[in-house]
Amino acid sequence: SGEVEPRSARVFILYADATWIGPVSPEIIISAFENNKANWANVLDVDFSRDLWRGGNIRLNLLSSDNLRDTRGKGPMAPDLEIFSAIEEESSALTLFIFGVSQKIGFSDVFLGVRNVNEDYFDTPWNSLFTSPSNGLYPCISEGYPLADAPRSALCLHTEMQFSERWLYKSSLYNGVATNDWLRVFNFRPRKQGLLAISELSYSGREGSYVGSYHLGTVFGDCYDEERGKKVKNDSFWLLAEQPLYYSRSGQTLQLLLQGGYSTAGSCRGYFGIGTIWRGLFQESDYVGLLAQRSFHDEGDETDWEFTYAMECGPATIQPALHLLFGGNKTRAIGVLKVVMEFN
């Protein structure tokens, strides 16, 4: 039987335009909102799946986004190097996010069709908590390839192999150019547009143990670069670790988050991040997170400190976050309010 699920409606509000040189003070943070810019972006995600035969399944996922500043032709507002894609991405009436057929073969799952990298990589529980653009895709990867990153997708062959309860291997082979055009998204033109191969090997400990979740990933691309007008080779790798530090009898947990990546080409050659997450501070399912990230770009280096808090409120998850960006002898403040609604 088929199932239609509007999985999430996300609302973001962002304030920026706080620029100063010197130490940070409460007065400066308050002044960030006196001369502010603001944006509002809505994203609606609808998912449909249906079993076809034994081990076979068809899936359709549609994405619709509305960016207020883009609709009004005002352009980007956040002056960071990594770009807050959830806020700055252009509006898209209806995007074919995922569409294809999967088949289970032994301990493997194989998918063929249109797909998006956000569906399979960098989506671990603690990494996904933070609102920085780096937690969607590390900048040394997102800036080095024309990835099938939201809201764009590309034709893909995706395989997952569950060797054991703890070990998982993922591999994706994408057409080298991603798009949100319903017709061009089915293109497979490796000679002209190139290919992009992503893989990840991960190990996850059991729930409640002090063995965490560890991920090693690689990206090999020979993709068409629109600015250069030719295919460009680039190789990258990344590391992601989520390490439990403390469990209390009442269910509270403290986690350590470690991130890192390197690229042989592209405008961002390196990136690392370290953060902590505390779950269950005021209620069983709330989260407090602090994350420091450093990225190395051709235009200069940038540091992003993020403090965020997320709590469940009925069918909604409400999450305010504050970013302090340091780079180019300037300090900027970005405030984000994120609301996620789940409809099952």
Side-chain angles (χ1 to χ4, degrees):
S1 61
E3 178 181 351
V4 178
E5 180 183 354
R7 294 195 304 177
S8 58
R10 292 166 290 195
V11 181
F12 302 80
I13 305 173
L14 181 146
Y15 299 87
D17 200 24
T19 303
W20 65 90
I21 300 175
V24 179
S25 67
E27 292 78 10
I28 289 177
I29 294 177
I30 292 173
S31 70
F33 298 94
E34 293 179 354
N35 238 344
N36 64 73
K37 296 178 182 179
N39 196 20
W40 180 298
N42 303 308
V43 180
L44 178 62
D45 179 342
V46 180
D47 196 77
F48 168 83
S49 62
R50 183 184 180 92
D51 293 333
L52 297 176
W53 49 74
R54 184 177 180 181
N57 180 272
I58 186 171
R59 183 177 173 195
L60 171 66
N61 183 257
L62 300 175
L63 193 72
S64 177
S65 60
D66 181 33
N67 186 312
L68 186 61
R69 287 184 65 87
D70 179 66
T71 301
R72 296 182 176 181
K74 292 187 175 181
M77 58 166 295
D80 66 309
L81 293 175
E82 296 182 46
I83 305 175
F84 276 73
S85 57
I87 294 296
E88 308 290 17
E89 192 60 70
E90 69 270 13
S91 299
S92 179
L94 198 63
T95 299
L96 190 61
F97 201 56
I98 299 173
F99 178 60
V101 176
S102 61
Q103 177 66 48
K104 186 171 181 60
I105 307 172
F107 60 83
S108 301
D109 279 295
V110 180
F111 172 94
L112 179 61
V114 174
R115 202 169 179 92
N116 183 284
V117 296
N118 300 100
E119 179 70 14
D120 305 300
Y121 304 97
F122 306 100
D123 60 344
T124 56
W126 307 113
N127 189 63
S128 300
L129 171 67
F130 293 96
T131 62
S132 166
S134 295
N135 290 83
L137 290 171
Y138 293 170
C140 57
I141 297 172
S142 62
E143 296 186 21
Y145 309 89
L147 284 170
D149 187 21
R152 297 171 182 82
S153 299
L155 199 62
C156 172
L157 175 64
H158 177 76
T159 305
E160 296 189 9
M161 296 183 226
Q162 189 81 51
F163 297 116
S164 68
E165 185 181 359
R166 306 298 177 202
W167 287 98
L168 175 64
Y169 176 75
K170 299 179 182 180
S171 178
S172 306
L173 182 63
Y174 280 92
N175 183 57
V177 174
T179 179
N180 55 8
D181 185 286
W182 280 65
L183 296 178
R184 293 192 298 128
V185 76
F186 292 97
N187 283 352
F188 182 67
R189 307 173 68 183
R191 293 188 63 181
K192 182 177 180 180
Q193 298 181 342
L195 292 171
L196 183 72
I198 309 175
S199 62
E200 178 190 89
L201 179 65
S202 62
Y203 178 86
S204 300
R206 64 177 176 82
E207 182 69 24
S209 75
Y210 282 94
V211 178
S213 175
Y214 314 101
H215 306 257
L216 170 63
T218 61
V219 185
F220 301 104
D222 184 13
C223 306
Y224 182 78
D225 188 308
E226 292 184 355
E227 293 183 1
R228 301 183 187 182
K230 63 179 182 178
K231 290 194 293 183
V232 177
K233 290 186 178 181
N234 188 12
D235 302 329
S236 302
F237 75 89
W238 79 85
L239 297 168
L240 171 62
E242 297 176 335
Q243 176 63 50
L245 298 178
Y246 170 75
Y247 290 99
S248 73
R249 294 182 179 180
S250 61
Q252 295 179 328
T253 63
L254 177 65
Q255 296 268 350
L256 175 68
L257 176 65
L258 298 173
Q259 310 166 332
Y262 174 77
S263 175
T264 59
S267 59
C268 179
R269 296 297 181 93
Y271 162 84
F272 68 87
I274 180 170
T276 57
I277 303 99
W278 184 273
R279 183 180 68 183
L281 182 62
F282 300 114
Q283 61 182 35
E284 183 179 353
S285 57
D286 70 350
Y287 303 85
V288 178
L290 178 64
L291 178 66
Q293 301 172 323
R294 180 76 168 173
S295 55
F296 306 93
H297 305 257
D298 290 345
E299 302 92 330
D301 303 338
E302 185 174 76
T303 301
D304 177 13
W305 283 84
E306 177 181 356
F307 178 74
T308 188
Y309 173 77
M311 63 173 291
E312 292 184 2
C313 185
T317 300
I318 301 174
Q319 181 178 357
L322 175 65
H323 292 263
L324 293 178
L325 299 171
F326 302 89
N329 296 322
K330 296 180 181 179
T331 303
R332 301 179 175 95
I334 296 179
V336 180
L337 175 62
K338 176 180 177 182
V339 180
V340 179
M341 301 285 294
E342 297 284 347
F343 307 97
N344 296 314

